[in-house]
Amino acid sequence: MTFTAAYNLVGLKYISGVDAAIEEYGSIYVTAPEGMVLDISLDGKPQGQTPSVISDVAFGVHILSATGDNYHYESEISVNTKKLIEIVADNSLLKGNLLVRITPADAKGYILKLNDMPVEPGLIKDLSIGTYRISAEGNYWHYEDKVNIENEQTAEVNVVLERHGELLVTVPPDADIELYDNDGNHIKVDNPEKISLLPGDYILSVTHEDFIPYEQKLVIVAGETQELAPLLAHTELFLKKEELATLEAKREKIAADSSVCTVGAITSACICGVSACLSLVFEGLISRESSALTNNYTAYVNSTLSSEAEALNSAITLNKSNIESYRIFRTSGVIGAGISAIIGGVFYLLNPDTSDIDQQIANLREGIE
C-alpha cells in the first residue's frame, strides 16, 4: 500500500512483483466563463484555446493556466483517473486574502481602494485571484500600486502614504496640458482640475491651436492647493478668423438688406409702369369722351326736335361725368407712377455697396490660407 501510494503521487502505477512502474494517463476538458476565449497552458506548455480537451495527461499534479486580456487563471490539477476531468477556468472561484498595513499609522482623511472598491486596512478575505490596483487618496495623502492575489494565499502590502500638494488648472476646452518635474520627467495629467503632486518644482505648459503656447514654473507645497488660470493670448491666425467671421456675418446682413432694396426697387418700377399705362389708357378715354361731347354739343345746338335735344343733353351730361371720372383715374395713375418712381429711386439709393467688404473678406481669407 505504501509503494502504491508513493507511485500514485508521481503519476505512476505500482504493480506488486514488477520492477518497472506503469505510467497512466487521463484527460482534462477546459472551458472558460461565458463569452471568453482563453489561451491554455499545462505545466507551462501551450495547449490551444478554450474550449479544448488536453489528452494524455500523466497521472499526478499539474499546473493549469488560462489567460486572456487582463485575465489570468491558474490552479493545481490532480489527475488520478482515466475519466475526463472538467475544469472551468473561472478565477472568481479561486480565492485569496490580502493583508494591508498603513504607514504612517496615524494618517487620517484618506480613502483606501482596491480597484474602485473602498476597503479598510487590515485583513481582506476571499478576494478572487488576479491583479488589483490598490490606491489611497484624500486629505493630500497619496499612494498607488498593484498587488497580485493568488489562490489560497495571503498577500501582504505596506501602503506607505506620501503627503502631496494639489494643483488646479483652469484652461480652455481641448487645451493640452504638459507637466514636468525639475528633472525633466513627464507627468501624466488625467484631470487638470485636480492634479496630485509630490512637493517640489515643476514646469507647466499649455498648448491650444487658438492660443500662443504658455509655460510657467510652479512650486508645489505638501498639504496645500494651488489654483492656476493661465492668461492665454490668442494667436494672430485666430484673431484673423474671428475678424473674418464678423465680416462674413456683416456681409450676410448687408446681402439681406440689399435683397430687400432690390425687391422694393423692382416692385416700385412695376407699379410705376402699370400706373403710367393706366394713365395713358384713361387719357385716351378722356380724349374719346371729349370728342363725343363736342359732337353731341354741336348736334344739340342744331337740333330742331325737343325729344332729340333732350337725348343729346343727356348724352352731353354723361360725357361730362365720364370725363370727370377718367380725369380722376388718370391723375391717380400719374400720382401713383410718380410716387412709385420716387420710392424706387429711394430703394436704389439705399441699396448698399458690398465691394469694400467683399475685398476685405477676400484679403482676410488669403491671409488665413
Side-chain angles (χ1 to χ4, degrees), residues 91-152:
N91 62 11
S92 65
L93 302 176
L94 306 180
K95 303 293 183 180
N97 303 323
L98 175 63
L99 178 60
V100 181
R101 298 186 180 91
I102 301 293
T103 303
D106 59 350
K108 296 180 180 179
Y110 63 88
I111 297 176
L112 181 67
K113 289 185 178 181
L114 204 58
N115 288 344
D116 293 325
M117 176 180 64
V119 294
E120 294 294 332
L123 183 62
I124 306 170
K125 294 184 177 181
D126 297 328
L127 294 172
S128 299
I129 68 168
T131 301
Y132 291 79
R133 172 181 171 268
I134 183 169
S135 63
E137 192 165 350
N139 196 27
Y140 300 102
W141 294 110
H142 182 81
Y143 176 86
E144 185 173 346
D145 202 355
K146 292 183 179 180
V147 60
N148 187 45
I149 304 300
E150 298 180 355
N151 188 37
E152 298 182 357

Side-chain angles (χ1 to χ4, degrees), residues 2-297:
T2 302
F3 274 104
T4 300
Y7 273 74
N8 285 341
L9 284 175
V10 294
L12 302 176
K13 183 176 181 180
Y14 176 75
I15 301 176
S16 179
V18 179
D19 292 336
I22 300 174
E23 190 168 18
E24 293 190 299
Y25 300 90
S27 301
I28 305 173
Y29 177 54
V30 186
T31 60
E34 185 178 355
M36 299 182 68
V37 177
L38 304 176
D39 296 321
I40 309 168
S41 295
L42 188 68
D43 298 328
K45 297 179 180 180
Q47 301 292 333
Q49 292 183 320
T50 57
S52 181
V53 175
I54 307 175
S55 304
D56 300 326
V57 180
F59 277 23
V61 179
H62 301 271
I63 302 298
L64 175 69
S65 63
T67 57
D69 292 337
N70 300 319
Y71 187 91
H72 180 75
Y73 170 92
E74 186 172 290
S75 180
E76 290 185 351
I77 305 297
S78 179
V79 179
N80 54 16
T81 178
K82 291 185 177 181
K83 294 182 180 179
L84 184 67
I85 300 173
E86 296 185 17
I87 300 295
V88 179
D90 190 346
N91 62 11
S92 65
L93 302 176
L94 306 180
K95 303 293 183 180
N97 303 323
L98 175 63
L99 178 60
V100 181
R101 298 186 180 91
I102 301 293
T103 303
D106 59 350
K108 296 180 180 179
Y110 63 88
I111 297 176
L112 181 67
K113 289 185 178 181
L114 204 58
N115 288 344
D116 293 325
M117 176 180 64
V119 294
E120 294 294 332
L123 183 62
I124 306 170
K125 294 184 177 181
D126 297 328
L127 294 172
S128 299
I129 68 168
T131 301
Y132 291 79
R133 172 181 171 268
I134 183 169
S135 63
E137 192 165 350
N139 196 27
Y140 300 102
W141 294 110
H142 182 81
Y143 176 86
E144 185 173 346
D145 202 355
K146 292 183 179 180
V147 60
N148 187 45
I149 304 300
E150 298 180 355
N151 188 37
E152 298 182 357
Q153 301 293 322
T154 298
E156 298 185 24
V157 61
N158 185 23
V159 175
V160 180
L161 297 174
E162 294 178 321
R163 194 69 166 169
H164 279 206
E166 288 185 353
L167 175 63
L168 280 63
V169 183
T170 302
V171 293
D174 302 326
D176 294 325
I177 296 179
E178 300 290 340
L179 195 61
Y180 299 89
D181 63 17
N182 207 31
D183 296 327
N185 298 315
H186 179 262
I187 298 171
K188 183 180 179 182
V189 177
D190 294 322
N191 180 13
E193 296 180 357
K194 186 178 181 182
I195 308 172
S196 181
L197 298 168
L198 286 169
D201 298 334
Y202 295 88
I203 297 176
L204 174 75
S205 67
V206 181
T207 56
H208 191 284
E209 63 177 356
D210 294 335
F211 297 93
I212 298 173
Y214 174 91
E215 187 172 287
Q216 180 175 340
K217 292 184 178 181
L218 307 169
V219 178
I220 300 299
V221 180
E224 293 185 6
T225 297
Q226 184 175 160
E227 298 184 13
L228 180 63
L231 297 175
L232 304 179
H234 283 109
T235 62
E236 184 179 355
L237 178 61
F238 175 84
L239 295 175
K240 285 185 177 181
K241 288 181 178 179
E242 287 288 291
E243 185 180 358
L244 177 61
T246 302
L247 286 176
E248 288 177 337
K250 185 177 179 181
R251 177 65 176 83
E252 289 182 3
K253 184 178 183 306
I254 292 175
D257 295 341
S258 177
S259 297
V260 172
C261 292
T262 301
V263 171
I266 293 173
T267 303
S268 299
C270 293
I271 294 174
C272 179
V274 171
S275 299
C277 290
L278 290 175
S279 298
L280 293 175
V281 169
F282 285 112
E283 183 65 32
L285 293 175
I286 290 172
S287 297
R288 188 189 68 181
E289 290 295 323
S290 297
S291 177
L293 175 62
T294 300
N295 294 332
N296 288 332
Y297 184 77

